[in-house]
Amino acid sequence: DWECVFQKVQKQQLTLKRKKHIKDELFLVTESFNTTAQKLCVSHKELYSANENLKKAIVELKLTEETLRESEDRFSSVAKSAVDAIISIGNNGKIIFWNTAAKTHFGYSKDEVIDKPVSIIIPDRFKEAHNEGIKRILANGQSKVIGKTVEVVGLRKDGSEFPVELSLAMWKLKDDSFFTGIIRDITDRKNAEAKLKENEKKYRVLFESSNDGIILHDLNGIIQDTNNKIEQMLGYEKNELIGMSVQSLHPKSQIDIS
């Protein structure tokens, strides 16, 4: 029966088509699986590499933190034991660090000054110049005092003023600028200088008013200073005598200058 044969052939062809379709789908699934597996393998490698890099970064960060902590501890130890006041401020002019010596110098405790403007230790007549100086440094980096030691005046908590020697440095952290000053109380030195000037003035009065001629010379017999009386006695002006040899005034005599 040809019709029966024809139907069988059609069924076989349909079966073959279905098998081919399934095979094609299986091939596509297999390819997709392989592609996904490859991607997963690459992703795993990338993830492993990223994980290793993250571990290294964490280790480096811990080392950096430890180094920074050690550095801070050393600075804190030095600052606490320093006899000079050490004060740091931010670019807003507010105090962020205040050591023990600063309390001794100015009379304020750390809790009283942190986050307060540094102008509390500056006399009123100098505050405007200080503010302008900070603005100028932040604007163009120009400064008359950064990296130098200058003499200024400090203001204590009780309102009294005292002379100080200031060494100022500027440093940056990311985009922010900070200033650290090392401040030394030079009251004793200034008093000693004033006393010395007073003594020199008294000595000069006695020196010039003496009825005796006086010549001051160095170990080589070179005249360094003379008083009015010796100038009158010898007929020389002071500027003529300065620099002369004592022996040149009496060339025939035996003058012992030892």
Side-chain angles (χ1 to χ4, degrees):
D1 186 36
W2 288 103
E3 184 177 350
C4 183
V5 171
F6 180 75
Q7 289 177 351
K8 287 182 179 180
V9 171
Q10 281 185 327
K11 286 181 179 180
Q12 289 177 350
Q13 289 178 342
L14 182 61
T15 301
L16 289 174
K17 285 182 180 179
R18 286 177 179 173
K19 288 182 177 180
K20 184 177 183 303
H21 180 71
I22 292 172
K23 185 178 180 180
D24 289 343
E25 287 185 345
L26 182 61
F27 175 78
L28 291 174
V29 171
T30 302
E31 286 295 306
S32 176
F33 175 80
N34 290 336
T35 301
T36 303
Q38 289 177 354
K39 289 181 178 179
L40 286 173
C41 183
V42 172
S43 298
H44 176 73
K45 290 180 179 179
E46 291 177 347
L47 182 61
Y48 178 80
S49 177
N51 186 49
E52 288 299 309
N53 290 334
L54 181 58
K55 287 180 180 179
K56 290 180 181 179
I58 291 173
V59 171
E60 292 176 357
L61 179 60
K62 287 183 178 179
L63 290 174
T64 301
E65 288 177 346
E66 289 177 3
T67 301
L68 180 60
R69 192 178 299 110
E70 290 176 359
S71 178
E72 289 176 344
D73 289 343
R74 285 195 296 269
F75 172 75
S76 179
S77 178
V78 171
K80 285 180 180 178
S81 60
V83 296
D84 295 332
I86 301 177
I87 301 170
S88 294
I89 65 172
N91 54 19
N92 58 1
K94 293 186 177 180
I95 298 170
I96 60 173
F97 182 82
W98 183 269
N99 75 338
T100 304
K103 177 183 178 181
T104 303
H105 283 35
F106 294 96
Y108 292 99
S109 67
K110 181 179 178 180
D111 293 337
E112 289 179 294
V113 297
I114 294 298
D115 288 331
K116 297 294 192 301
V118 73
S119 58
I120 63 174
I121 61 171
I122 300 174
D124 288 341
R125 62 186 182 281
F126 299 122
K127 288 181 180 179
E128 184 177 352
H130 164 77
N131 293 333
E132 291 300 319
I134 294 295
K135 289 179 182 178
R136 183 173 59 253
I137 294 172
L138 295 176
N140 53 36
Q142 295 181 358
S143 171
K144 298 178 181 178
V145 295
I146 295 291
K148 300 178 181 178
T149 299
V150 296
E151 291 185 6
V152 293
V153 179
L155 180 66
R156 295 190 182 95
K157 182 180 179 179
D158 62 10
S160 62
E161 297 182 3
F162 65 110
V164 299
E165 196 172 68
L166 169 67
S167 297
L168 188 64
M170 177 181 176
W171 48 283
K172 286 184 174 291
L173 185 61
K174 294 183 178 179
D175 296 328
D176 295 324
S177 298
F178 299 87
F179 302 89
T180 296
I182 299 177
I183 301 171
R184 174 170 296 178
D185 185 346
I186 57 173
T187 301
D188 292 342
R189 191 177 81 192
K190 286 295 183 181
N191 289 339
E193 289 175 355
K195 187 67 176 179
L196 180 60
K197 288 181 180 179
E198 183 181 350
N199 290 338
E200 287 178 346
K201 186 176 180 180
K202 291 178 180 178
Y203 155 77
R204 177 57 59 180
V205 171
L206 294 174
F207 181 73
E208 294 294 352
S209 62
S210 175
N211 290 324
D212 297 321
I214 302 175
I215 295 177
L216 301 180
H217 61 80
D218 61 18
L219 296 176
N220 296 316
I222 303 301
I223 298 174
Q224 304 297 312
D225 199 2
T226 61
N227 69 344
N228 292 328
K229 191 64 177 181
I230 195 67
E231 293 160 18
Q232 295 171 8
M233 292 169 61
L234 299 177
Y236 286 94
E237 296 290 336
K238 181 186 289 287
N239 61 345
E240 293 177 300
L241 289 169
I242 301 299
M244 288 178 60
S245 169
V246 174
Q247 292 191 7
S248 67
L249 298 176
H250 302 280
K252 295 181 181 180
S253 65
Q254 298 297 321
I255 301 177
D256 182 8
I257 62 172
S258 61

